[in-house]
Amino acid sequence: MDAVSGIHAMDDLSYLTSLIDGMRGARWDHVRRDWDEHIEQLTHEGKFETEYRMSLQANNELVRILDPLLERKEYNSRCTEPIQVEHIVGLGLRVLSGGAVSDNRHVFGMSKPAAYPCLNDFIYAVNTSPELEIKFPSTVQEWNQRNYEFRSKSTHEIMSGACLAVDGFFQRTNKPTKKEVSNQLAYYSGHYESYGLNSQEACFADLSFGYFGTVAPGQANDHVAYPTARSLKNTVENLPPNLYAVADAAYTVSENMLIPFTGNDRFDIDQDAFNFYLSQVRIRIEMAFGRLVNKFRILNGTVEGPMERVADILQACARLHNFIIRQDCPSFPTFADMSLEEEMRDLDLSPHPRAPLGHMAYLPTMPVDCSEIIYGVSHSACVFGAQMVPRFAAEQMMRCCGSSSSDSVGKILCWRCSEVAGAGSWQMRIEKRM
């Protein structure tokens, strides 16, 4: 190509570029949010932890951890100012907390084409960072420490060997496409009347997760999903001597897994008492789910997108959940001295209309046959405070005290005297399940 032809080619390229720019309009130079000024304003208003779900100190530590994975090259930015790591972390936290990308991009001065990749990069960075990894204890001493924390939550340390609480979590999703899965109906849960995914989790007494894995489609119950969580199953089967995990009746009892008595077995007074003491430690996994959803409210509804992306979002939320507990929450033995009611207030857990047990804002994957008919109230579940109480105990309390009352929506309330309860007054609610 001679010099003249080269000049003509450059002229043609310039002409085509001008045509494209004319078709899509002039580029808007987004002004990035001054992060230091943003912090100063939120600190003055006392709103930083509310908007970013963690303290400023924890946020700074998270930025330090993710900085190597999120740092942008300034020469790649088409705007006057590059997108900073603080902007990416801030956008990711606000979206996982329930905000929309299209709204929160304005907070940091991002274009829409830049905001979505930033969110994806944030989720990927959280899920691949070694410092945010979810893992089990690696030594017997660490397992014994976890056991010691659980014993502090058991009356008279009755459950002296508990070191893990295991349960399943159902996350609502859109209907998967045929390109993603071969059997779409396998993801539909008739119990929740929604498509979704089944995750298996195990937590410690401080509500942090030792295992979090999305392992099965939504139609699978915990009995079916648990064996597919091989790392969790192998860990439970190989716990140190005299230690065990606790779970609900959807799981299979074993030497290393305790579950409550069901059916006619509950009518034995000793076994009924066992169920109550078991619930004192098993409630930790319910509270962990409540805290997870309360912090990251994107999980409170239907998470949109491909199944793989939903699983990535769940994993990122669980990792950040653990990170916040390590950075901001009372450590042992401080939380050991807190009552259940104090912990519930501290976690800001409140009744939620879609929670099967009435007190948790999440969807556990409890089987349908856990419900039963009591005094004409169909598909009911019993609750004592935030703890599950055996239905046999509820019937005993109503026969013993004779103080039950009912209203038009099918609730039955019963108060039992402190002499029978052991300490304080009990309030039993049997709530109608629609």
Side-chain angles (χ1 to χ4, degrees), residues 41-59:
Q41 177 185 352
L42 292 180
T43 303
H44 173 73
E45 297 173 350
K47 294 293 186 180
F48 187 90
E49 189 166 350
T50 301
E51 294 197 14
Y52 290 96
R53 297 303 194 251
M54 63 182 70
S55 66
L56 177 58
Q57 292 74 17
N59 184 271

Side-chain angles (χ1 to χ4, degrees), residues 259-279:
I259 66 173
F261 289 98
T262 59
N264 292 332
D265 292 335
R266 296 172 298 165
F267 290 89
D268 182 273
I269 191 169
D270 293 331
Q271 294 171 353
D272 185 63
F274 169 84
N275 282 2
F276 171 73
Y277 287 113
L278 182 70
S279 71

